[in-house]
Amino acid sequence: MPSTFPVFDPASPQAESIRDLFVQVLFISAAIFAIVSGLICIALVKFRESETLPAQDFGSHKKEIAWILGPVIVVIWIAAISIKLVLTVNALPPQYAKGESASDNDVDIFITGHQWWWEVDYADSGIVSANEIHIPTGKKLRVKLQSHDVIHSFWVPQLSRKMDAIPGHSNYIWLEANSPGVYQGRCAEYCGTQHAWMNFQVIAHDPADFASWQQKEQKVAPTPTTGQAAAGAELFMKLTCSQCHAIEGTDAKEDFAPNLTHLASRRELAAGAIAYSPENLRTWLANPQAIKPGCKMPNFKLSDEHLDQLVAYLETLR
Ligand code: CUA
């Protein structure tokens, strides 16, 4: 169940710092607003019918010091908590601080924005996935954000700061979750027709569960040799599917479109446009443009027989 007010329901140290800064600045501003508007109201009521000016007070050092010191303390306080926040969320690799060019050695996950889906590459395990990011809890993962085409913005309100994915320029964020759960992420920068359906989920597991997910994900489903599924596998290579998608253990190796190696164990299709189910997969293949108009997946005008075969094959990709 996604959080209704995710910004107030942080699940990582970074998101907690952002919430704390927001709430503190909100209360400080509210207090100043209340004092100023309260004084204005008092003056309006108390002096509205008086003929003469109220008593004027010139050259009071005490009062001058008070109204200079007050705002200075408030500004220093806000600056201090802002600097603390910046230090907490800053995920630049250490080489940057030394003025060296960054290497990818410190990166745990590479995330690339595409129109309109997210590619997820795990540095250590070599796993490639799409629109679903599995992480272990309690570990600070350095994410390198890139874009394949236009500017996107990676945002998981409960976990992290928002960060743009820019073509030709890499950005870094920490991805970390305090407790297991599913955290909704979105593209937060208008990037074309299907910007609204460029969603993803971060799924945080206990370290032991993450290890078993990783093991499962590194295995590749055997290519079916009999029945509908085998016909579907053949069709997948014969049609142009394999010119955009990759499936580990087959000749399909392109990364223009989402990697389908474990498609059937994903929770959603088409970057969150519909839930994953064999029925929805069939509807999607029958006419992707009806579900996500403008997306890069064409309508292949497949026959019912071909649709059944492809769905039977893709369902084996677990
Ligand atoms: Cu990608 Cu908006």
Side-chain angles (χ1 to χ4, degrees):
M1 190 51 201
S3 184
T4 318
F5 296 105
V7 174
F8 291 107
D9 194 9
S12 78
Q14 290 85 37
E16 276 163 12
S17 309
I18 292 170
R19 191 261 328 259
D20 291 348
L21 178 71
F22 175 72
V23 169
Q24 288 192 45
V25 171
L26 184 72
F27 275 97
I28 291 171
S29 313
I32 293 171
F33 176 78
I35 292 168
V36 172
S37 50
L39 287 175
I40 291 173
C41 289
I42 290 169
L44 279 174
V45 172
K46 207 171 159 193
F47 302 109
R48 62 182 299 199
E49 285 182 0
S50 91
E51 304 274 307
T52 52
L53 283 173
Q56 302 293 300
D57 193 357
F58 293 103
S60 163
H61 282 195
K62 267 189 198 151
K63 283 180 189 166
E64 278 176 9
I65 288 170
W67 68 58
I68 290 169
L69 217 55
V72 166
I73 290 171
V74 170
V75 169
I76 289 175
W77 177 251
I78 293 177
I81 55 178
S82 304
I83 290 166
K84 182 175 165 277
L85 172 70
V86 170
L87 295 177
T88 309
V89 300
N90 185 10
L92 283 181
Q95 301 93 315
Y96 268 88
K98 294 184 226 135
E100 296 166 23
S101 57
S103 78
D104 287 344
N105 295 341
D106 302 301
V107 175
D108 295 297
I109 310 177
F110 298 86
I111 295 177
T112 310
H114 293 252
Q115 282 175 319
W116 290 278
W117 59 282
W118 297 93
E119 180 185 334
V120 188
D121 298 68
Y122 296 80
D124 288 342
S125 59
I127 294 167
V128 183
S129 187
N131 306 323
E132 219 174 73
I133 306 162
H134 292 255
I135 60 169
T137 52
K139 194 171 176 229
K140 228 172 154 181
L141 299 158
R142 201 194 301 278
V143 169
K144 183 174 176 177
L145 275 175
Q146 306 162 110
S147 170
H148 182 257
D149 33 48
V150 299
I151 299 177
H152 303 276
S153 189
F154 182 91
W155 192 32
V156 191
Q158 282 183 276
L159 294 187
S160 188
R161 69 194 298 192
K162 188 194 289 172
M163 182 65 88
D164 282 0
I166 299 168
H169 175 88
S170 301
N171 281 333
Y172 297 85
I173 55 159
W174 293 121
L175 196 56
E176 180 179 15
N178 296 336
S179 48
V182 178
Y183 304 100
Q184 185 64 51
R186 300 190 189 285
C187 180
E189 175 72 39
Y190 181 75
C191 54
T193 318
Q194 285 300 337
H195 157 70
W197 286 120
M198 192 170 161
N199 294 344
F200 59 98
Q201 290 180 329
V202 176
I203 297 151
H205 306 269
D206 283 328
D209 291 346
F210 177 77
S212 51
W213 171 85
Q214 191 171 278
Q215 267 182 1
K216 189 191 130 282
E217 201 79 356
Q218 280 172 315
K219 288 200 196 97
V220 172
T223 305
T225 49
T226 53
Q228 293 262 71
E234 213 173 291
L235 203 57
F236 188 90
M237 296 300 166
K238 221 163 63 188
L239 295 173
T240 45
C241 315
S242 59
Q243 288 174 22
C244 290
H245 293 280
I247 299 176
E248 277 304 313
T250 74
D251 291 334
K253 304 221 178 290
E254 295 301 321
D255 61 359
F256 179 77
N259 185 301
L260 303 178
T261 308
H262 295 280
L263 175 72
S265 46
R266 286 195 202 135
R267 304 158 59 93
E268 295 178 327
L269 276 172
I274 41 172
Y276 182 87
S277 70
E279 298 74 38
N280 282 351
L281 179 60
R282 197 179 193 282
T283 313
W284 168 254
L285 292 173
N287 186 3
Q289 296 297 322
I291 291 169
K292 208 166 163 180
C295 79
K296 310 271 160 121
M297 171 96 166
N299 181 354
F300 286 99
K301 308 217 162 67
L302 298 161
S303 67
D304 280 348
E305 190 197 1
H306 282 178
L307 281 171
D308 290 339
Q309 292 170 347
L310 275 176
V311 171
Y313 170 51
L314 295 172
E315 262 286 286
T316 67
L317 302 175
R318 296 197 169 267

